[in-house]
């Protein structure tokens, strides 16, 4: 044996071999990376079905503005725009003749080619209402629909499908679970892809463009899965955050936080300091007898209230709501949800036609503004058709990422005859045991706090941990014990 072989110096043969077949560097996975990879795997496999349902139902909901025009265009709009609308008293009188029961909850005066909407509340309808649509230029009743906070039956049906699968309160758990994990999966995927890119010294370009040189198989699928996820990350985080704000449990905690910070939309006072003036008869056919939320109200009061609100600067579409109790001011609210939104409100004395209080959207707390705008964007209303297109692209992109994720799981399956399986094995466990003490001291309280704020996330994360521990214990028990070898007999 030569000195070079003993010292470890490369021989000519070994140098040639090293140049032609360079050794592949062994990539060591840190405990943080191992834990995140296993969490991302389990969350992707188990939560993805809920995300698929949310994406499909959300994709269907993005079509509601066009669907409403197709199904209810005759009620929502008028065929011919007149020179000027008739008094609201005449329009409300026509609506009352077509719908004699119930009290008037709200009135949205028609503007342009939009019908006037007179909404009636009935105890047997619960949260839903009957809305009568009236031509503002002829007072012709265009039709009647059962609505929910102004939404048509089709929009209400698709909203319930996306929110709770038509299962009521129980069904809301599915959407909250999906929203609770979506941000974890999205951010975890970004971190994992960044670590893989750094370890392989890939260019930053491969963060945003899939590496098509990877050939076929799991590497190519992973490239499409990860790169598309990077592009979707901001949108997915937005959908997760806004979806959680009106979920059952996390939404309640969010509301409690707004209350603690005094960051909700301010209430408007409807208290009248003086005794309300007596209604004035004007001699028309429908000045009296319009039953409102607070009892019998004068139909002509709607015109006085509308005139006062317009004089106070409330432009665009507005909604007039009679007082809940007699002797209180009525409220008029701008209902333009398209950017730039208009959400100013005034309280008006219905008898005197004077503004008694005002609340402008510009004066709302920042969190209240962001929450309101976020909800409108989540519903596809804030930026009109562009908003709808972006939401549809997010839904389709999320579905693609999920399909690629399951495909990777299948492509990683063992294919040897003696080890065949339907899917790949989970990433190796042991990440928690390898974490430094400081990470546990910081991480456990943080995760506990997040689990308290997002209860369904906390409960399912705990369930994942229990399942993983039980699965590990079962695997260890099934593992065959090593057979001890006896020492060789002397003299052999």
């Amino acid at each position: 044996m030569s000195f070079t072989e003993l010292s470890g110096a490369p021989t000519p043969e070994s140098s040639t071999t090293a140049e032609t077949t360079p050794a592949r560097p062994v990539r060591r996975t840190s405990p943080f990376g191992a834990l995140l990879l296993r969490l991302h795997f389990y969350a992707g496999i188990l939560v993805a079905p809920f995300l698929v349902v949310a994406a499909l139902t959300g994709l269907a909901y993005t079509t509601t503005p066009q669907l409403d025009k197709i199904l209810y265009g005759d009620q929502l709009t008028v065929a011919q725009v007149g020179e000027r609308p008739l008094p609201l008293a005449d329009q409300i009188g026509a609506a009352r003749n077509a719908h004699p029961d119930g009290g008037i909850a709200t009135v949205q005066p028609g503007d342009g080619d939009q019908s006037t909407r007179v909404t009636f509340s009935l105890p047997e309808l619960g949260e839903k209402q009957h809305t009568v649509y009236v031509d503002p230029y002829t007072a012709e009743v265009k039709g009647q629909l059962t609505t929910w906070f102004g939404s048509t039956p089709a929009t209400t049906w698709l909203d319930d499908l996306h929110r709770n699968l038509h299962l009521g309160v129980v069904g809301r758990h599915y959407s909250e679970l999906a929203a609770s994990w979506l941000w974890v999966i999205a951010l975890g995927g970004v971190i994992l892809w960044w670590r893989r890119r750094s370890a392989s010294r890939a260019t930053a370009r491969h963060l945003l463009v899939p590496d098509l040189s990877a050939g076929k198989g799991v590497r190519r699928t992973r490239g499409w899965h990860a790169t598309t996820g990077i592009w979707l990350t901001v949108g997915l985080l937005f959908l997760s955050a806004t979806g959680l704000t009106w979920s059952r449990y996390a939404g309640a905690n969010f509301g409690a936080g707004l209350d603690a910070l005094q960051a909700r939309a301010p209430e408007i006072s409807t208290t009248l300091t003086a005794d309300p003036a007596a209604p004035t008869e004007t001699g028309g056919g429908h000045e009296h007898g319009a039953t409102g939320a607070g009892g019998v109200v004068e139909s002509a009061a709607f015109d006085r209230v509308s005139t006062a609100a317009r004089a106070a600067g409330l432009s665009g579409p507005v909604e007039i709501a009679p007082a809940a109790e007699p002797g209180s001011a009525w409220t008029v609210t701008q209902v333009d949800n398209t950017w730039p939104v208009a959400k100013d409100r005034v309280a008006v004395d219905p008898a005197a036609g004077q503004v008694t209080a005002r609340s402008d959207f510009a004066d709302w707390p920042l969190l209240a503004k962001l929450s309101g705008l976020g909800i409108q964007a989540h519903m596809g209303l804030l930026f009109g058709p562009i908003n709808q297109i972006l939401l549809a692209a997010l839904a389709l992109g999320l579905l693609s990422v999920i399909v690629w994720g399951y495909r990777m799981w299948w492509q990683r399956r063992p294919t040897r005859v003696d080890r065949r399986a339907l899917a790949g094995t989970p990433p190796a466990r042991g990440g928690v045991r390898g974490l430094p003490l400081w990470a546990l001291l910081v991480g456990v309280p943080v995760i506990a706090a997040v689990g308290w704020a997002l209860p369904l996330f906390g409960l399912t994360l705990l369930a994942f941990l229990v399942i993983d521990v039980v699965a590990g214990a079962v695997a260890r028990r099934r593992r065959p014990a090593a057979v001890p070898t006896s020492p060789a007999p002397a003299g052999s």
Side-chain angles (χ1 to χ4, degrees):
M1 181 178 292
S2 67
F3 173 78
T4 56
E5 291 174 319
L6 286 173
S7 64
T11 62
E13 293 81 8
S14 63
S15 300
T16 305
T17 305
E19 292 174 2
T20 55
T21 57
R24 185 176 180 179
V26 178
R27 186 174 61 193
R28 296 180 178 272
T29 303
S30 70
F32 293 102
L35 180 61
L36 183 59
L37 181 60
R38 193 166 179 85
L39 178 64
H40 187 75
F41 172 81
Y42 271 125
I45 296 298
L46 300 177
V47 180
F50 297 94
L51 293 174
V52 168
V53 175
L56 289 174
T57 56
L59 181 62
Y61 187 83
T62 61
T63 65
T64 52
Q66 290 72 28
L67 192 62
D68 280 347
K69 290 181 181 180
I70 295 172
L71 297 178
Y72 312 112
D74 292 341
Q75 291 98 320
L76 300 177
T77 58
V78 298
Q80 185 174 359
V81 177
E83 293 184 2
R84 56 184 303 177
L86 295 173
L88 286 177
D90 294 339
Q91 301 179 52
I92 294 169
R96 170 57 72 189
N97 289 338
H99 193 288
D101 300 324
I104 297 179
T106 60
V107 173
Q108 289 189 30
D111 185 26
D113 66 344
Q114 299 296 306
S115 300
T116 295
R117 306 179 185 188
V118 184
T119 303
F120 295 90
S121 295
L122 291 91
E124 60 268 24
L125 293 178
E127 285 189 339
K128 293 186 177 181
Q129 299 166 319
H130 284 163
T131 299
V132 177
Y133 300 87
V134 182
D135 187 326
Y137 307 102
T138 64
E140 175 191 357
V141 174
K142 307 287 292 181
Q144 173 185 313
L145 297 173
T146 300
T147 57
W148 181 67
F149 294 101
S151 297
T152 65
T155 297
T156 301
W157 193 90
L158 288 173
D159 183 273
D160 281 343
L161 181 67
H162 180 60
R163 194 161 50 101
N164 58 35
L165 301 180
H166 295 285
L167 298 176
V169 175
V170 175
R172 294 182 65 184
H173 297 157
Y174 113 84
S175 56
E176 182 168 356
L177 179 64
S180 297
W181 277 95
L182 181 56
W183 66 276
V184 179
I185 296 174
L187 287 180
V190 171
I191 296 172
L192 289 172
W193 189 235
W194 176 264
R195 288 172 57 86
R196 179 177 289 274
R197 186 204 67 84
S198 300
S200 62
R201 295 192 176 94
T203 62
R205 174 175 174 270
H206 288 157
L207 277 174
L208 302 176
V209 179
D211 185 7
L212 300 181
S213 64
K216 298 181 179 179
V218 67
R219 290 182 59 196
R220 190 182 186 94
T221 305
R222 184 190 296 118
W224 282 106
H225 172 86
T227 303
T228 305
I230 293 292
W231 280 97
L232 299 179
T233 297
V234 174
L236 296 181
L237 294 178
F238 165 79
L239 291 180
S240 175
T242 53
L244 287 171
T245 57
W246 73 84
S247 61
R248 185 181 182 187
Y249 299 111
N253 290 336
F254 177 75
L258 291 180
D259 291 335
L261 297 172
Q262 297 182 347
R264 284 193 182 272
E267 298 289 338
I268 187 169
S269 175
T270 58
T271 302
L272 296 177
T273 55
D275 293 335
T280 303
E281 293 195 22
T282 57
H286 302 291
E287 284 79 2
H288 300 280
T291 306
V296 177
V297 299
E298 180 192 11
S299 296
F302 284 92
D303 288 290
R304 288 196 295 272
V305 169
S306 177
T307 300
R310 296 300 187 188
L314 267 66
S315 57
V318 298
E319 181 178 84
I320 304 171
E325 298 178 357
S328 298
W330 294 15
T331 56
V332 184
T333 306
Q334 290 178 312
V335 289
D336 186 356
N337 293 314
T338 304
W339 184 266
V341 299
K343 292 180 176 291
D344 296 346
R345 294 175 294 170
V346 295
V348 181
D349 183 341
Q354 296 177 348
V355 174
T356 60
R358 185 182 185 102
S359 173
D360 290 336
F361 181 70
D363 299 329
W364 287 19
L366 178 61
L367 284 178
K369 290 180 182 178
L370 293 178
S371 177
L373 295 175
I375 290 174
Q376 297 305 320
H378 190 113
M379 297 174 66
L381 301 176
L382 187 60
F383 301 109
I386 294 177
N387 202 157
Q388 295 175 259
I389 294 172
L390 290 175
L391 288 177
L394 274 175
L396 293 172
L398 178 58
L399 290 171
S400 300
V401 168
I402 292 172
V403 170
W404 284 321
Y406 278 116
R407 178 172 173 79
M408 282 193 298
W409 188 31
W410 179 78
Q411 287 176 324
R412 290 178 57 249
R413 73 197 188 283
T415 56
R416 280 174 40 182
V417 176
D418 59 335
R419 294 183 56 214
R420 284 188 179 179
L422 295 176
T425 57
R429 58 168 46 85
V432 175
R433 291 193 298 270
L435 292 176
L437 179 60
W438 68 265
L440 295 174
L441 293 177
V442 174
V444 171
V446 169
I447 293 175
V450 174
W452 176 85
L454 310 177
L456 288 189
F457 167 77
L459 289 174
T460 49
L461 177 60
L462 182 61
F464 289 170
L465 293 176
V466 171
I467 292 172
D468 194 39
V469 170
V470 172
V474 172
R476 284 193 298 271
R477 293 190 63 178
R478 289 181 176 178
R479 191 177 302 154
V483 179
T485 58
S486 58
S492 59

